[in-house]
Amino acid sequence: MKPRKIKDNIYWMGYIDWDARLFDQLIPLPDGTSYNAYLVEGSEKTVLIDTVEPEFFGELEEQLENVTQLDYLVSLHAEQDHSGSIPKVLSKYPDAKLITTPKAKEILMDLLAISADSIITVVDGETLSLGDKTLEFIYTPWVHWPETMVAYLQEEKILFSCDLFGSHIATSDLFAVDEARVYEASKRYFSEVMMPFAKIIEKHLEKLTPYDIDIVAPSHGPIHRNPSFIINAHKDWVAGPLKNVVILPYVSMHHSTKKMVDYLASMLTEKGVRVELFNLSVTDIGKLAIALVDAATIVVGTPTVLYGPHPAVAYCTFLANMLRPRAQYLSIIGSYGWGGKTVETLAGMIPNLNVEIIDPVFAKGFPSEQDFQALDVLAEAIASKHQEQGFV
Ligand code: FEO
């Protein structure tokens, strides 16, 4: 892909990775992704903002073919999908200075063995003149690493936001045109890496409010010419009202747990509560993460394997504890053959979740009439709590 013009003297560069299917050996990428870098040519200085995964440096190098002088390279975030090609860019332009935060300097030196002499650190709010253009650096730590910042091109009102406001989508659209698609991909990305820092990101969104932004240029996915769409979506995800939704991640081995999950889902639906079921044997974990962003209640369904929860359920519970969703209620349903400590084990795995536990329902063998009655009670308890809280 050749460089693509965003505005006069401002270009998208990078690599569109149509083949990527897994990030960090963990996160599914059903739509691939892109690694966006941006070239800004001022009347006096030229700057490249971020780079690409090192294996795709060749593409970036071709895009830089006509750039004879690079004065600055900005690293907004030290993770290797954006920083990995910094050493190669600095080799190509030995006079270029690398601009980053003090924390990122430390990380970049550790990760990429970049020499301290090449690096200039900036403080929060510092500006860099490129002649007729000015870049302002704004600290936004913990998106999702501690060193992150964004850069605002004052004259053109462009916010280079790196991971923030990004989406894992491979597309030939330079700008977001299919907002429904971008919304889901961006919510997925937010849920997978930023949700644990929602309160911090809420403060960053407040910090960015005074800035007059025409364009948001993230480092993954398409660029936003309608910034309020993506900024307001993030405001909703970090602090918007929870929804009248119960998510039911579950595994069933011999249909007992499945029978209970289906029954509870049916009872909740009758009571006007929306449900989303995720069979963990087959689900895309990213879909579950999206649902965790604003569901009011989580009900985990698991059989007992040996003496504890099914390992797939334990994995999902571990992930949910890491992602720290804002859900207010949690319960556990499932089955056992002769004993075990399934409920205690799962309950002990969620110290990060600020949830009220609603009485679990565990059946010995196939669920009995008594177990279904207990599920009725559970459904009623959830529906009442949602109603009291005014979740819609
Ligand atoms: Fe796209 Fe946190 O790297």
Side-chain angles (χ1 to χ4, degrees):
M1 187 75 70
K2 290 187 183 303
R4 302 184 71 186
K5 182 174 164 182
I6 300 169
K7 283 189 158 192
D8 286 347
N9 301 314
I10 303 168
Y11 298 91
W12 172 93
M13 293 186 176
Y15 185 75
I16 299 172
D17 193 349
W18 299 89
D19 296 339
R21 285 295 174 270
L22 200 60
F23 192 83
D24 286 350
Q25 299 303 309
L26 172 67
I27 298 171
L29 299 175
D31 299 312
T33 191
S34 67
Y35 310 103
N36 304 337
Y38 297 98
L39 187 79
V40 181
E41 295 173 325
S43 56
E44 291 174 18
K45 304 286 185 190
T46 297
V47 58
L48 181 68
I49 299 173
D50 288 323
T51 68
V52 295
E53 277 277 357
E55 66 184 293
F56 305 122
F57 173 70
E59 185 99 358
L60 179 62
E61 189 173 32
E62 282 179 25
Q63 293 162 346
L64 289 166
E65 192 181 1
N66 297 322
V67 179
T68 51
Q69 168 83 19
L70 186 71
D71 300 287
Y72 302 109
L73 173 56
V74 171
S75 175
L76 297 176
H77 173 28
E79 193 169 9
Q80 292 91 328
D81 51 329
H82 311 294
S83 69
S85 293
I86 286 175
K88 290 175 179 168
V89 173
L90 291 178
S91 291
K92 183 175 169 67
Y93 301 101
D95 295 331
K97 287 291 180 196
L98 177 62
I99 294 180
T100 196
T101 62
K103 186 72 185 168
K105 175 179 178 180
E106 214 180 283
I107 296 174
L108 289 168
M109 289 171 66
D110 288 341
L111 288 179
L112 300 168
I114 296 171
S115 140
D117 299 343
S118 314
I119 304 177
I120 299 172
T121 59
V122 286
V123 298
D124 188 22
E126 190 167 337
T127 57
L128 175 73
S129 174
L130 307 177
D132 60 347
K133 296 182 179 62
T134 314
L135 261 185
E136 178 179 345
F137 301 104
I138 306 162
Y139 279 21
T140 52
W142 291 110
V143 178
H144 53 120
W145 281 22
E147 84 302 355
T148 46
M149 67 173 174
V150 299
Y152 178 65
L153 192 61
Q154 293 177 344
E155 294 77 5
E156 304 293 343
K157 301 177 183 172
I158 301 176
L159 184 75
F160 298 99
S161 60
C162 203
D163 280 349
L164 186 61
F165 307 128
S167 53
H168 284 307
I169 300 180
T171 172
S172 60
D173 295 333
L174 180 61
F175 297 102
V177 288
D178 183 347
E179 288 191 340
R181 182 180 183 218
V182 174
Y183 180 93
E184 170 150 343
S186 191
K187 189 173 185 182
R188 173 188 279 263
Y189 189 37
F190 168 84
S191 69
E192 289 163 339
V193 297
M194 292 169 222
M195 185 157 60
F197 310 104
K199 286 200 180 312
I200 298 172
I201 291 172
E202 184 183 5
K203 291 207 167 9
H204 296 338
L205 298 176
E206 282 167 22
K207 187 176 180 180
L208 292 172
T209 301
Y211 289 85
D212 186 8
I213 299 169
D214 281 348
I215 290 176
V216 172
S219 294
H220 297 290
I223 296 168
H224 299 280
R225 278 189 297 203
N226 176 13
S228 58
F229 151 69
I230 198 67
I231 293 171
N232 288 340
H234 279 70
K235 283 182 180 168
D236 192 36
W237 300 336
V238 296
L242 294 177
K243 297 203 168 116
N244 179 25
V245 170
V246 172
I247 62 168
L248 284 143
Y250 73 94
V251 168
S252 188
M253 298 191 302
H254 298 291
H255 310 297
S256 300
T257 300
K258 173 75 165 124
K259 188 82 184 166
M260 296 172 77
V261 166
D262 286 344
Y263 183 80
L264 180 63
S266 171
M267 288 299 103
L268 287 166
T269 305
E270 267 189 26
K271 292 175 190 301
V273 178
R274 303 202 300 287
V275 295
E276 290 188 51
L277 274 61
F278 297 93
N279 179 346
L280 297 171
S281 308
V282 294
T283 199
D284 166 355
I285 209 79
K287 284 274 189 193
L288 174 60
I290 292 172
L292 284 170
V293 171
D294 39 28
T297 297
I298 303 167
V299 177
V300 178
T302 183
T304 299
V305 179
L306 298 178
Y307 43 78
H310 191 285
V313 174
Y315 171 72
C316 159
T317 306
F318 181 81
L319 271 181
N321 186 58
M322 278 174 69
L323 295 178
R324 298 174 184 247
R326 294 184 294 137
Q328 287 191 8
Y329 307 104
L330 185 140
S331 191
I332 302 166
I333 64 173
S335 56
Y336 64 99
W338 49 88
K341 295 197 169 175
T342 301
V343 170
E344 296 92 319
T345 304
L346 287 176
M349 289 178 69
I350 51 170
N352 293 341
L353 302 194
N354 189 18
V355 288
E356 176 187 333
I357 306 263
I358 306 177
D359 284 346
V361 180
F362 244 63
K364 187 169 191 297
F366 201 74
S368 65
E369 196 48 46
Q370 204 178 347
D371 297 317
F372 289 118
Q373 283 168 12
L375 289 171
D376 288 336
V377 172
L378 176 58
E380 181 54 37
I382 292 170
S384 303
K385 286 175 187 297
H386 283 204
Q387 203 167 16
E388 280 163 25
Q389 297 280 347
F391 297 142
V392 290

